[in-house]
Structures are given as structure tokens and as C-alpha cells.
Amino acid sequence: MRPEDLAMLRAPGTLALHDDLLLTDVAHPDLEADAYRGSLWRIPQDGPAVRFTHGDHDTAPQISPDGAWVAFLRASGGGKPQLHVMPTGGGEPRPITDLPLGAGAPVWAPDSRRIAFVARAPEPGRYGTEEGVGAAAEAPRRITGFRYRGDGIGFVMDRPQVLYVVNALADLPQPVALTDGRCGVEAPCWHGEHLLVSAPRGLDPESLNTDLYAVPAGGGEPIPVVRSDGSATLPAVLPDGHVLYLGTEFTGIHAVARATGLYRAPLAVDGDPATGTRLTEEESVDCEALPPVPVEDGALVAVRVRGAVELRLVPRDSAGAPLEKLPVVLGERASVKAFASYGGRTVAVVSSPEHPGQVVEAGRGAETGSEAGRPGHTAVPGGRVIADFCGPLPGTRPLREITATAPDGHPVHGWLAVPEGQGPHPVLLNVHGGPFHQHGWGFLDETQVYAAAGYAVVLPNPRGSAGYGQAHGQAVVGALGTVDADDVLALLDAALAEPECDPERVGVMGGSYGGFMTSWLAAHRGSRFKAAWSERAVNAWDSFTGSSDIGWFFAEAYCGPDAETQRAMSPLYHADRITLPFAVVHSEEDWRCPVEQAQRMFVALRRNGVPVEFLLFPGEGHELTRSGRPRHRLQRFEAVLEWWSRHLAP
């Protein structure tokens, strides 16, 4: 895969299923327009997918319970996404909202008329709501709390997420706000004449704890209905009056590296809030942030497992069920990105190392042997591919699973992608972000671009990563730069033992936590590498505390409250040890790891005489590599390859 092949990445997103109607949104980067384009597509049970809408960027389809209507979001001409509705039989979409900052994904009411959604509601006079007053002329912001800004959003305290409901079939639809904006709410779900939402405890925007609240659909004060042991979100109401939701357990600020589980709780809007029962084991089951889907035998959830994101069934009578008690539905050695189920039929978007995402139907693989090889009907483990909007990408390489043993005996797991040709090839050690995240069996455009350019790519999941149990994720709390660094290097050594890898030409790179690890290894194990590419990194925990959107709790949760301990875990304060060529790469509007993290490291290295370069992307945030402007993503790939061609050439 070449950098310009970004334009070929067409991956389905949301799935909407009702009877035999299956819809998905498919988006792709448009390099010429420097924008993302996409439409809704209908996927029949047999035959090729058919385009359903023709907007500039249509997303988030949802089918009404009676099957008559489709609601979705449409962003036209670079504008904000607005809610639209059209008949399932086809026709002209009708705009339902015209909100200044756009609308969120629709959620149909049981009456198939009303739609709930959340949207950011700007304060009067801000964000273009006062004619002739631009952003630079607005009044100063009065900030009184920690949560005043969010990465990818900007300021949030003056545009909170508000719950709305609208009669989509009215002659003149008028969205009505149901919450007052004292705090943001999310994940609405209908429960009779109430809407369940996830919101901070006590409706206090400063709280790290989130609970479930019931908001009367006709208006009224939110009612607490489920009190969590840490967090509660993504509710799904059951016919028996209970609710399923995803949650974590923690106290105080210690909300990091906590496994997300599936919970069940009784629902009552006229009593004390209930406490949920955890249906999955805390240590072994860590659910991806995808809404649980109730099915006849229990509930479907996506679970992170050793680099995979598997669709698993949580049986109805579960209570603290460990991973091995949850049957796999789809996603072995793959990554489930979205899923839906209706009437016993289950479909999912499944990504593999060589494909960004295909729509797969579960449970029919054995029945479709005669269809194997037909376009759109390729057999896969647990099911069959029924839609592929991308097709085979040129030059993609498979992943080779590798293992190693750390100096203290701990097992380490990861992957190696090897270019075509005999080699030995130069090697890139690429560390993921998080740290409670994972490399794995899903498609990663970086791996494919680097492998196609001739580099062997090593992808480690050190201690601190997700998918190996909660204790594995917690292992670096208070110990960043210790066992995780040992694990990364142990897996690198295992890769370098392969004949295709050149141990004399090794570079290290990564973003966010991976940028931290890149900076850390450059300072402490720099002799192992020819050069480093440190991107959107945490370099100094002291200033991160006061500048990051999550710094006010995240730094202490991972490093502890002691200032000297935080400095000892900060690569910036070891910058005098760095001598190898070093690229500092950052985005101007990164509020997760703010640009001062890059500036301070660049100045320190420059003053020390290190051959350092600073690549700064305008207008981008922390998610540049995944959802930044298409041209910036292309330019970044070109810069990465140019850097390594200089420093890892034979």
C-alpha cells in the first residue's frame, strides 16, 4: 500500500438491520477535495450492495421500529451533520434539523415518529450564533472547572451536549431540548416515555463517575436510575424492564486501565437508583466501547482479546462470567468495528490485517460453501462476507504473530509484518498509544504503508496494553518506562532473530503513549536505534497535568501525585541522554497531548546539539493519523518515509 492509496480505503461504519433491510454508511478520504465523502448503501442477503443515498457525507443510519423510515446524518458542502429522514422504499431525504453545531446520531422511539439525539448547544453569542461576530471578537470565556476543553472538539463548557427529541414526521419538525446543559449527556436509549442517558454523577461535570439517568420525553428533571461503581454508559433496555450497559469499577481519580464489563440492572423511575450486577469477569473480559445488543440467548458484546476485537455472546444467566465462558460469534484473529442483530440474524463490520472492513453475516459459514468465491460471499470463520466496498488493496502484507519473554519472565505478545523480498530489511519498532490500547488483528494503514516501502514492522503489546487482562493493563501504573520498556525490547529482539530483519538498521516510532515510549527509549536505550520518530507524545507529566484535557487526573492516576516521581517518568527530563537523530511530530490543536509537549522537547534537544526536526501540522488534533484531513494524512506518510529513507538506508 502506497501513501496515495489512502483514497482507496472504503470502510463501512454503522450497521442498521430490520427484517431483510440492512444498511451501512461507507466513507472514504477524498484527497483532491481534502474531505471525507460517503453515502448509505443497502446490502441484500444475496447480490451486490446498492447505493441508497447520494449525499456528500451521509452517516449513522437507523431504521424505525416499524421499518418504514430511515434516519441518518448528512453533512453537505463541508457543513455540520444534520438529521435527515427518508422512506425505506426510497425517495428524497427530508432535513429534520438545522442546528448551528450539527446533530448527533438518531435514536428512534418505539412509536416510529419521534427521534432522540444529542447535539452540542452553543451559548448565545458564540460559534457564529451572533451575526457579524467572529470567534476573535467573542467575549472572554469564564472557566471554573477542569473539563473546559476536549480534544477534537475544542472548548466544551460553552457548548455542552444536550438531549433533544423531535417529531420527525411533523409538517414542521421542531427539536425540543430535554436537558439544560449543566453537564453533557450521551448514549440516549428509549424506555417507554423516558430516555435513558449516561451523565456525570450528580450532573456534576467535574465527576469522573458516570451513572444512568431517565429523562422524561415530555420534559422534566433527569432521574437517577442506575448508580455505577465507576462508570455506566451505552444502555440497552430489555423487555423485562431491566437495562444492560457497559461499565467500569474505580474510585477517585483511578479511572485508567480498567476493564469494561457488561452489567444488568432493574429499571425504576420512581425509586432509589439501582446498582448493577456485573455479568462478565473484571479480570479477563474487557469490552470495546460498542453498544451491547440483546439477543434471544443473552447479549452480544465486542471484547478485546490478545489483539483481536471479538464479538462474543454473554449468556442470559451469566454472573461474573470469565472470557472462556463467552462463545465467540465473529472476529477471531480480526477486529469487529460495529455489529447489529435482528430476528436471529447477526451482522458485523470486521477488519483484518489486510482489509479495513467487510460486512460479515454470522452463523452461516457452513451453509454457504457453494457461494464461496463469489463476490460478496466469501466464507470466513464463523460466517460469510456479504459486502466488500474496498476490494483487495495493492501490496498488503500479512501479520506474523510473535512472542517473547521479558527479563523478569513475563510473556510478551505482538506481530511482525515483513516486506516482499528476501531481505534483510530495515526494521521499524512501532509502539501504540494508550497505553491501555492494543496493536492487533485489525487493519492498520501505517503497517501496510511501511511494509510496502520495504520496512519490517514490529508491533508490540507490552504491559500496560489492553486485551490481556486487567492486571496486565494495570502493571505500568506507577511504573511507566520500566516493565513496558523491557517488554517492547524483548519483542524487538524476537523479531530481529528473524532472517528477514536487519539488526543493524532499526528505528523506533510511535504516537501518544507510543511517542512517550519512543522518547523514553531514545534516552535510555538509544544505542539500539539509528533514529526516532516521536509523535503527539507525552514528554513531561508536570505540564501535561495543567494543559491536557485529561491531564488533571490522568497524570496522577498513572504516575502518582509526587512531583519528583512524575519528573523521573518524564522523557523531557532525560533529554540530555538523547543523541540519535530525532523527529518531533505534533498537531497545533492537539488538546490531549498539547503542543507544548513537543515544543519543550524540541528546544531541549536543539539546545543539546541533537540533530532534531520539528514537524507541526496546522489545524489538526490528536487524531491526525486516523481522522485528520486527508491531505495531511498523505503528507505525514510522505514525511515518515522520507525520514526513514535518510536514516535507515543501507
Side-chain angles (χ1 to χ4, degrees), residues 101-181:
L101 300 182
V107 182
W108 283 100
D111 62 14
S112 295
R113 297 183 62 87
R114 292 171 295 173
I115 294 175
F117 62 94
V118 296
R120 294 203 173 274
E123 285 183 357
R126 295 203 185 275
Y127 304 105
T129 56
E130 184 176 344
E131 187 175 354
V133 178
E138 291 179 358
R141 291 177 169 86
R142 187 179 301 275
I143 297 169
T144 58
F146 293 128
R147 288 185 166 174
Y148 64 89
R149 195 165 61 179
D151 186 69
I153 304 167
F155 291 100
V156 295
M157 81 291 184
D158 53 11
R159 45 177 168 181
Q161 284 204 147
V162 169
L163 176 66
Y164 289 85
V165 68
V166 60
N167 183 347
L169 305 187
D171 292 336
L172 295 173
Q174 294 292 327
V176 177
L178 299 183
T179 56
D180 58 16

Side-chain angles (χ1 to χ4, degrees), residues 59-306:
T59 59
Q62 291 295 323
I63 304 167
S64 61
D66 64 5
W69 303 94
V70 177
F72 64 96
L73 298 177
R74 169 167 287 180
S76 300
K80 300 294 184 181
Q82 301 292 348
L83 187 60
H84 286 65
V85 168
M86 65 182 290
T88 54
E92 187 67 24
R94 179 190 183 204
I96 302 300
T97 63
D98 185 20
L99 298 171
L101 300 182
V107 182
W108 283 100
D111 62 14
S112 295
R113 297 183 62 87
R114 292 171 295 173
I115 294 175
F117 62 94
V118 296
R120 294 203 173 274
E123 285 183 357
R126 295 203 185 275
Y127 304 105
T129 56
E130 184 176 344
E131 187 175 354
V133 178
E138 291 179 358
R141 291 177 169 86
R142 187 179 301 275
I143 297 169
T144 58
F146 293 128
R147 288 185 166 174
Y148 64 89
R149 195 165 61 179
D151 186 69
I153 304 167
F155 291 100
V156 295
M157 81 291 184
D158 53 11
R159 45 177 168 181
Q161 284 204 147
V162 169
L163 176 66
Y164 289 85
V165 68
V166 60
N167 183 347
L169 305 187
D171 292 336
L172 295 173
Q174 294 292 327
V176 177
L178 299 183
T179 56
D180 58 16
R182 78 188 83 169
C183 68
V185 302
E186 60 182 17
C189 169
W190 286 89
H191 173 51
E193 285 302 307
H194 289 81
L195 280 149
L196 302 185
V197 295
S198 175
R201 178 162 300 161
L203 304 181
D204 175 7
E206 297 294 284
S207 178
L208 287 175
N209 299 106
T210 55
D211 297 327
L212 299 184
Y213 290 79
V215 181
E221 187 72 8
I223 304 162
V225 291
V226 173
R227 183 180 175 90
S228 74
D229 290 322
S231 69
T233 190
L234 297 173
V237 175
L238 298 172
D240 65 1
H242 284 67
V243 61
L244 298 175
Y245 63 93
L246 298 186
T248 59
E249 298 178 11
F250 62 88
T251 57
I253 64 168
H254 302 289
V256 299
R258 299 291 175 178
T260 299
L262 180 67
Y263 289 75
R264 179 186 177 115
L267 269 179
V269 298
D270 55 0
D272 293 333
T275 299
T277 298
R278 190 163 187 149
L279 306 184
T280 56
E281 184 184 69
E282 184 177 25
E283 171 55 30
S284 63
V285 180
D286 181 22
C287 296
E288 189 83 342
L290 296 173
V293 174
V295 294
E296 183 178 357
D297 297 329
L300 297 174
V301 293
V303 182
R304 299 192 282 191
V305 183
R306 292 181 61 83

Side-chain angles (χ1 to χ4, degrees), residues 13-25 41-45 60-67 69-71 88 108 293-295 300 338-348 359-362 364 386:
T14 302
L15 293 172
L17 177 62
H18 185 282
D19 289 333
D20 63 350
L21 178 60
L22 173 59
L23 298 175
T24 188
D25 49 3
W41 290 73
R42 179 172 184 164
I43 304 171
Q45 293 200 41
Q62 291 295 323
I63 304 167
S64 61
D66 64 5
W69 303 94
V70 177
T88 54
W108 283 100
V293 174
V295 294
L300 297 174
F339 60 95
S341 189
Y342 185 92
R345 184 186 182 202
T346 297
V347 293
V359 181
V360 176
E361 183 173 352
R364 295 183 61 184
I386 58 173

Side-chain angles (χ1 to χ4, degrees), residues 604-620:
L605 295 179
R606 180 74 174 164
R607 291 181 66 181
N608 291 343
V610 173
V612 60
E613 298 178 14
F614 187 9
L615 188 64
L616 184 60
F617 286 88
E620 297 288 358

